[in-house]
Amino acid sequence: MFGVLTIFVLITISSVIFAFILRFTELQEGSIKLIVTIISFIALFIGGFICGGKGQQKGWLSGGLTGIVYTFIIFLFQYLGYEKLFTSEQTIYHICYILTAMMGGVLGVNMTSAPPRKA
């Protein structure tokens, strides 16, 4: 759950920053769409990395589960709050989010695990 919590903290902080930028500047939402998408991928990667590092094994599984939990929470929020299912574009994004979290989990396990000792 550390990975999912990290994802939501990072996304909340970036959302607040972009809300202030949009409010107090002349920028439009369409002009920062790419930056928001990139930040989302980075947040999912970091969340998977943290989850894989904490798990110390099967990083693809722990990262993938982190991405799936994130996607499920967003799906529930959208379905229960707005009564809408994912569009095909959102489905593709969330599949890529899960894959990104998996890659973060694999890298997290490999970067944080201790090197094997020589006999």
Side-chain angles (χ1 to χ4, degrees):
M1 292 311 288
F2 286 113
V4 176
L5 183 63
T6 302
I7 292 168
F8 279 109
V9 166
L10 290 173
I11 289 179
T12 301
I13 291 170
S14 65
S15 294
V16 169
I17 291 169
F18 284 119
F20 279 120
I21 290 172
L22 288 172
R23 172 67 177 98
F24 295 113
T25 65
E26 298 293 324
L27 285 176
Q28 300 295 319
E29 287 181 41
S31 62
I32 62 169
K33 184 178 180 183
L34 179 63
I35 296 170
V36 170
T37 302
I38 291 170
I39 290 174
S40 298
F41 278 107
I42 291 170
L44 266 291
F45 184 82
I46 292 171
F49 185 88
I50 289 173
C51 190
K54 294 270 186 202
Q56 294 292 316
Q57 60 183 351
K58 295 184 184 176
W60 65 273
L61 183 61
S62 60
L65 287 174
T66 300
I68 289 170
V69 168
Y70 170 78
T71 296
F72 184 68
I73 291 170
I74 298 300
F75 175 77
L76 285 178
F77 181 79
Q78 184 169 331
Y79 182 70
L80 297 174
Y82 297 106
E83 297 178 2
K84 293 186 180 189
L85 297 174
F86 280 163
T87 64
S88 58
E89 181 181 4
Q90 287 175 315
T91 302
I92 291 169
Y93 274 115
H94 281 278
I95 289 170
C96 292
Y97 287 156
I98 293 168
L99 293 174
T100 302
M102 281 177 152
M103 288 187 287
V106 169
L107 194 61
V109 166
N110 291 324
M111 295 292 286
T112 59
S113 62
R117 294 184 176 201
K118 293 182 181 181

